[in-house]
């Protein structure tokens, strides 16, 4: 069997910056994009060499709202890639050109090492390894084969029980001790990969989060070997283990005595099991066990651009928000305001089905209600904080002014869609800031203003969709009356439904959008 490193998985908060660093600066190939195996709403990116070879793969889980983690005991602390020793000068120059902070070169175990940090703060080492020949270095127009990253060189694990950690890895995963210096036990696999076990006794404990390495996956030849190791671990009472079919490999997870999470993953079937080598990394795959509609998942996941692709960056505006760009834009836009308990991703699948060619803009409410995002505070089920409504409506108006300019949205070609608290916010904004919203669909909306100002909503178009058995449905007529009194054209459709929305709401909203903005 060939022992070594299969892949290393870390956590990023800065998705576009992550792509720019690993695919742009380092020149790795994006070889797979999937929804997370534990959470379908989590993006999972795989980078590797040109052939997505085991031993070249670095993967990232995207935690957009994740708090920064803390590197410490029971966790890997560094990732190392192999380059040819003569490529050191190339990478020093490239770091200066890309404005990437780098230290070194220094000598570690007789090898020249350049140290840098990725955008999330993860330490990445480029190691000049003598006679290294990666299986398929990824060559770009500005990175030649001789300068390219060849493969993963290794990783560093922080342990307060380094001898026990090293013994565990040697006993179960085929590594062997090759050096011991400066508080580091160096292990090597048959493939030449190394694991440095650093004695970190007295160091603080780790905390999971963005900017940390989640686990190291070691190489297994086949599923039978994984299951045999799982049996041996169980017989030795080595702690909890679990096994999973991850589509591209079969693996088990276990924690070594120092606390770091290790995975044992098969080389096959590999990254080409569901897409050809030529187009690796161009499609999003959703794990089958979720039984989720891939289009819905795709709409909720963050978008990014590969180096050289046209991109639209999310701007720093008053509301946390998500922008979703369609494949074939038609010049329209849909602004989506979620209900209580939702967030900026909740209505994106609805918006993508409603208007496949529209830019989707979805903000997150800034007022917390029992821990849930809302667009303004609720006092009782049907009474609301009036001062908060006015302040948040003003902030939303400023947000839309900035968003229209930043993302090129045409107010006449923009449809605002709100559900529950989001619908109530749209109604309030229309009455407090007339002219800002010209076309709207209000799903389960009601009036929340105790004092309704005089407003001119001439030319505004509103579709209200009210649930016949919605306990709040009886309050919809008040909002309808205020909007009509201000001059808006209002349609109020009664559905045989409750407070929740479904396919009938989508079809009505879709037809309305076609009528009012095309």
């Amino acid at each position: 069997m060939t022992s070594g490193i299969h892949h290393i998985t870390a956590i990023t908060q800065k998705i576009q910056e992550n792509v720019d660093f690993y695919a742009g600066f380092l020149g790795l190939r994006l070889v797979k994009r999937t929804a997370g195996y534990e959470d379908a709403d989590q993006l999972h990116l795989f980078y590797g060499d040109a052939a997505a070879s085991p031993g070249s793969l670095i993967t990232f889980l995207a935690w957009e709202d994740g708090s920064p983690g803390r590197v410490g005991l029971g966790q890997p602390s560094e990732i190392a890639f192999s380059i040819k020793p003569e490529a050191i000068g190339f990478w020093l120059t490239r770091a200066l050109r890309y404005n990437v902070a780098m230290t070194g070169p220094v000598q570690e175990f007789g090898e020249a090492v350049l140290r840098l940090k990725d955008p999330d703060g993860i330490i990445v080492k480029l190691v000049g390894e003598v006679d290294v020949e990666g299986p398929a270095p990824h060559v770009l127009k500005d990175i030649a084969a001789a300068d390219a990253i060849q493969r993963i060189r290794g990783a560093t694990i922080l342990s307060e029980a380094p001898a026990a950690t090293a013994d565990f890895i040697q006993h179960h995963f085929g590594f062997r001790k090759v050096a011991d210096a400066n508080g580091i036990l160096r292990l090597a696999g048959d493939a030449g990969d190394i694991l440095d076990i650093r004695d970190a006794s007295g160091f603080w404990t780790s905390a999971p989060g963005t900017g940390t390495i989640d686990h190291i996956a070691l190489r297994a030849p086949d599923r039978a070997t994984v299951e045999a190791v799982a049996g041996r671990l169980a017989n030795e009472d080595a702690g909890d283990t679990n096994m999973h079919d991850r589509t591209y490999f079969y693996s088990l997870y276990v924690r070594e005595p120092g606390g770091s999470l290790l995975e044992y993953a098969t080389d096959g079937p590999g990254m080409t099991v569901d897409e050809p080598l030529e187009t690796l990394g161009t499609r999003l795959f959703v794990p089958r066990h979720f039984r989720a509609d891939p289009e819905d998942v795709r709409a909720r996941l963050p978008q990014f651009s590969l180096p050289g692709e046209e991109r639209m960056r999310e701007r720093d505006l008053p509301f946390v928000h998500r922008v979703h760009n369609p494949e074939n834009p038609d010049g329209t836009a849909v602004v989506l305001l979620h209900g209580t308990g939702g967030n900026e991703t909740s209505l994106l699948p609805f918006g993508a089905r409603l208007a496949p060619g529209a830019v989707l803009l979805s903000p997150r409410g800034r007022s917390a209600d029992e821990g849930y995002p809302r667009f303004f505070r609720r006092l009782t089920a049907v009474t609301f904080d009036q001062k908060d409504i006015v302040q948040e409506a003003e902030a939303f108006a400023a947000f839309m002014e900035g968003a229209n300019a930043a993302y090129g949205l045409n107010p006449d070609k923009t449809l605002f869609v709100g559900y529950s608290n989001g619908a109530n916010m749209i109604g309030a904004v229309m009455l407090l800031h007339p002219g800002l919203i010209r076309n709207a669909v209000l799903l389960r909306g009601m009036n929340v203003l105790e004092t309704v100002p005089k407003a001119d909503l001439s030319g505004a178009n509103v579709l209200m969709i009210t649930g016949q058995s919605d306990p709040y449905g009886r309050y919809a007529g008040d909002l309808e009356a205020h909007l009509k009194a201000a001059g808006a054209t209002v349609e109020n459709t009664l559905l045989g439904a409750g407070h929740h929305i479904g396919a009938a709401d989508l079809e009505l909203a879709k037809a309305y959008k076609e009528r009012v903005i095309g």
Side-chain angles (χ1 to χ4, degrees):
M1 124 179 156
T2 299
S3 57
I5 295 175
H6 183 279
H7 67 268
I8 299 173
T9 294
I11 303 170
T12 180
Q13 184 184 52
K14 304 175 180 179
I15 300 160
Q16 184 61 63
E17 289 87 342
N18 181 272
V19 173
D20 290 343
F21 181 83
Y22 286 93
F25 172 69
L26 290 181
L28 298 175
R29 183 181 183 186
L30 180 66
V31 297
K32 191 68 63 177
R33 56 181 87 185
T34 77
Y37 276 84
E38 307 301 329
D39 180 358
D41 288 341
Q42 183 179 69
L43 182 65
H44 193 181
L45 301 180
F46 292 69
Y47 305 94
D49 65 10
S53 309
S56 75
L57 302 170
I58 177 80
T59 92
F60 283 89
L61 301 168
W63 290 10
E64 285 187 295
D65 282 332
S67 299
R70 180 178 65 194
V71 178
L73 289 172
Q75 186 186 72
S77 63
E78 296 178 325
I79 299 167
F81 292 104
S82 286
I83 58 173
K84 293 179 179 293
E86 54 271 24
I88 291 288
F90 168 83
W91 286 101
L92 281 168
T93 303
R94 187 170 177 84
L96 290 171
R97 189 166 72 249
Y98 276 74
N99 197 30
V100 173
M102 182 178 286
T103 60
V106 297
Q107 290 290 311
E108 295 182 6
F109 293 95
E111 296 174 323
V113 174
L114 298 174
R115 223 179 220 91
L116 54 139
K117 288 186 177 180
D118 79 0
D120 290 285
I122 295 172
I123 296 174
V124 176
K125 300 194 299 187
L126 300 180
V127 180
E129 183 184 359
V130 176
D131 297 329
V132 65
E133 292 292 341
H138 191 219
V139 177
L140 301 175
K141 63 180 181 180
D142 58 344
I143 302 179
D147 296 319
I149 287 174
Q150 302 295 309
R151 61 184 178 91
I152 289 175
R153 175 59 171 150
T156 302
I157 295 174
L158 301 179
S159 176
E160 60 182 350
T165 296
D167 288 346
F168 184 86
I169 294 171
Q170 291 179 94
H171 177 57
H172 293 292
F173 304 114
F175 279 69
R176 66 191 183 282
K177 180 180 173 182
V178 295
D180 184 354
N182 302 318
I184 297 175
L185 283 171
R186 171 161 285 196
L187 309 180
D190 297 335
D193 310 337
I194 57 94
L195 289 173
D196 286 339
I197 315 301
R198 179 179 289 278
D199 186 346
S201 301
F203 202 46
W204 53 66
T205 57
S206 61
T210 62
T212 64
I213 301 167
D214 186 72
H215 66 270
I216 300 169
L218 306 177
R219 290 177 68 175
D222 51 41
R223 179 168 176 166
T225 305
V226 172
E227 292 173 342
V229 170
R232 188 163 68 243
L233 289 168
N235 290 336
E236 296 179 9
D237 196 21
D240 293 336
T241 63
N242 53 77
M243 289 184 284
H244 300 276
D245 182 351
R246 298 304 198 197
T247 305
Y248 312 107
F249 43 85
Y250 186 84
S251 65
L252 71 81
Y253 294 85
V254 65
R255 290 196 180 274
E256 50 82 16
S260 290
L261 181 63
L262 300 176
E263 186 178 5
Y264 194 41
T266 59
D267 280 1
M271 296 293 153
T272 57
V273 69
D274 53 10
E275 60 181 333
L277 181 64
E278 295 75 22
T279 59
L280 280 181
T282 59
R283 291 178 53 204
L284 174 75
F285 291 90
V286 179
R288 291 187 294 271
H289 64 269
F290 285 114
R291 293 184 172 86
D293 188 311
E295 292 305 314
D296 287 350
V297 175
R298 184 176 290 108
R300 286 193 296 268
L301 292 177
Q303 293 181 309
F304 60 88
S305 300
L306 289 170
E309 292 180 345
E310 184 178 354
R311 65 180 61 185
M312 183 167 70
R313 300 290 294 269
E314 290 185 4
R315 308 303 174 127
D316 186 11
L317 295 171
F319 285 73
V320 173
H321 62 283
R322 177 72 68 77
V323 178
H324 180 87
N325 294 300
E327 290 186 12
N328 300 300
D330 61 11
T332 66
V334 176
V335 180
L336 299 153
L337 276 68
H338 62 80
T340 301
N343 60 27
E344 66 275 19
T345 69
S346 302
L347 287 180
L348 287 172
F350 187 96
R353 293 178 180 277
L354 165 65
V359 173
L360 305 181
L361 174 65
S362 185
R364 182 197 303 171
R366 307 191 308 176
S367 292
D369 185 357
E370 299 177 353
Y372 296 113
R374 285 174 56 90
F375 287 97
F376 50 82
R377 286 189 292 273
R378 175 175 55 187
L379 303 179
T380 71
V382 293
T383 60
F384 309 91
D385 186 328
Q386 297 299 298
K387 184 177 180 180
D388 197 37
I389 294 172
V390 171
Q391 290 176 340
E392 289 304 298
E394 185 174 354
F396 184 77
F399 167 76
M400 285 309 307
E401 181 179 352
N404 288 340
Y407 303 127
L409 309 184
N410 179 353
D412 290 325
K413 287 288 188 177
T414 299
L415 179 69
F416 288 75
V417 178
Y419 165 59
S420 190
N421 179 246
N424 301 344
M425 179 65 164
I426 291 174
V429 170
M430 292 186 74
L431 293 165
L432 293 169
H433 297 272
L436 180 72
I437 297 174
R438 304 173 191 180
N439 306 288
V441 173
L442 309 183
L443 306 169
R444 314 302 186 264
M446 61 181 284
N447 176 51
V448 294
L449 294 174
E450 294 175 4
T451 301
V452 178
K454 186 177 181 180
D456 182 3
L457 294 179
S458 301
N461 303 295
V462 180
L463 171 65
M464 297 181 64
I465 305 179
T466 303
Q468 193 170 22
S469 57
D470 180 2
Y472 301 100
R474 56 183 173 161
Y475 301 103
D478 189 32
L479 177 58
E480 178 184 3
H482 285 302
L483 294 173
K484 283 183 174 179
T489 300
V490 183
E491 301 175 25
N492 193 350
T493 300
L494 191 65
L495 281 183
H499 194 67
H500 294 292
I501 57 175
D505 295 275
L506 176 62
E507 292 308 312
L508 287 169
K510 185 184 295 185
Y512 190 74
K513 185 254 181 188
E514 289 299 316
R515 291 206 313 271
V516 297
I517 66 171

